[in-house]
Amino acid sequence: MTFRAAEKGDVWAVPELIEEISSDNDQMRPPELTEGEYERSIESLRGTRLVEVTYYPLSCGDDGDEIEEWDFGVWHQPTMGVGLLAEDGTQYSAVWGHSFDYYGLEVFREPMSSHLNMIGQTGGTQTVVVTDHPCWSGLIGVPLVGADIIWSEGDSGVPLPVAVELRTLAATAWLVAGRPVQWPPDGRFWLGTDDVMAVFTQETAVAVGLSPASAEG
């Protein structure tokens, strides 16, 4: 599968696009996150063993009881968030938010119910446990040797956390605030939208527009 990045100037979703894709905003609760809190949450992930991963995709279909497509091979689109459960019982919620600018990837040491409304309800956010998915197999039950926030510059010049990179000795995953430029996906992506992606190859991470922390060393 070949990916290409969006054209220069396409990285940040324009206001019209954000309005078009943000009908799910009423399912989000107001964000409250400082840079210090964010850094501490990510630091606490280092050395942690994940035991469960849950996606929170949107509902679709005429009756609002079907689950929106989310599995696209080397990247997934859970849209509303990703829940991580650590071996010690700590719950982490990765969601899109605007604590820093519109929109970034934010991680809280709280259950997803603290951030999303209508979980499991018709027309709301659904839950899909993906712990056994092949893309997550290398990150389950083994220590995370790395957890890093990937910062970029938002539209207003404010540093914006666009992704979090999680690493074990065998695998890497990126949780990203972003989405495909069009549907069906053609390999081009927007960063900084009100959607959450999970990415599993460095090639795809670069195509999405990230500068992976694992590539810096």
Side-chain angles (χ1 to χ4, degrees):
M1 186 177 296
T2 301
F3 293 86
R4 65 184 186 280
E7 298 296 328
K8 185 177 181 181
D10 285 352
V11 173
W12 304 103
V14 295
E16 291 82 0
L17 178 61
I18 290 174
E19 288 301 320
E20 180 182 340
I21 64 177
S22 61
S23 60
D24 49 326
N25 281 343
D26 59 352
Q27 295 178 33
M28 296 290 294
R29 296 180 181 177
E32 292 182 4
L33 183 64
T34 67
E35 186 172 340
E37 290 169 341
Y38 199 173
E39 294 282 2
R40 287 191 291 274
S41 291
I42 298 306
E43 183 178 358
S44 74
L45 276 164
R46 297 172 191 142
T48 292
R49 297 173 188 262
L50 300 179
V51 295
E52 186 174 272
V53 180
T54 303
Y55 286 168
Y56 292 83
L58 291 173
S59 301
C60 64
D62 293 340
D63 297 324
D65 56 1
E66 299 177 28
I67 297 176
E68 193 172 66
E69 186 177 5
W70 56 265
D71 191 343
F72 298 91
V74 294
W75 62 276
H76 298 161
Q77 186 84 51
T79 302
M80 296 303 292
V82 177
L84 305 174
L85 177 63
E87 188 177 48
D88 65 1
T90 303
Q91 297 183 63
Y92 295 85
S93 297
V95 296
W96 56 265
H98 46 82
S99 295
F100 304 92
D101 200 356
Y102 290 86
Y103 287 102
L105 191 283
E106 302 178 2
V107 176
F108 299 83
R109 279 181 283 183
E110 298 172 345
M112 194 63 76
S113 57
S114 298
H115 300 278
L116 297 181
N117 299 314
M118 298 180 66
I119 295 176
Q121 298 180 33
T122 299
T125 306
Q126 303 305 310
T127 59
V128 180
V129 178
V130 294
T131 312
D132 295 331
H133 193 286
C135 286
W136 282 100
S137 61
L139 293 113
I140 301 298
V142 293
L144 292 175
V145 299
D148 297 282
I149 305 168
I150 298 178
W151 295 87
S152 189
E153 185 174 293
D155 286 335
S156 61
V158 175
L160 178 70
V162 292
V164 166
E165 180 179 300
L166 304 174
R167 299 188 305 279
T168 67
L169 292 177
T172 304
W174 293 265
L175 304 179
V176 187
R179 74 186 303 271
V181 169
Q182 65 180 28
W183 210 265
D186 67 352
R188 296 176 300 133
F189 301 89
W190 298 105
L191 275 179
T193 70
D194 52 350
D195 310 86
V196 175
M197 298 175 61
V199 173
F200 301 98
T201 69
Q202 191 165 94
E203 177 190 19
T204 314
V206 172
V208 168
L210 302 179
S211 297
S214 56
E216 296 176 1

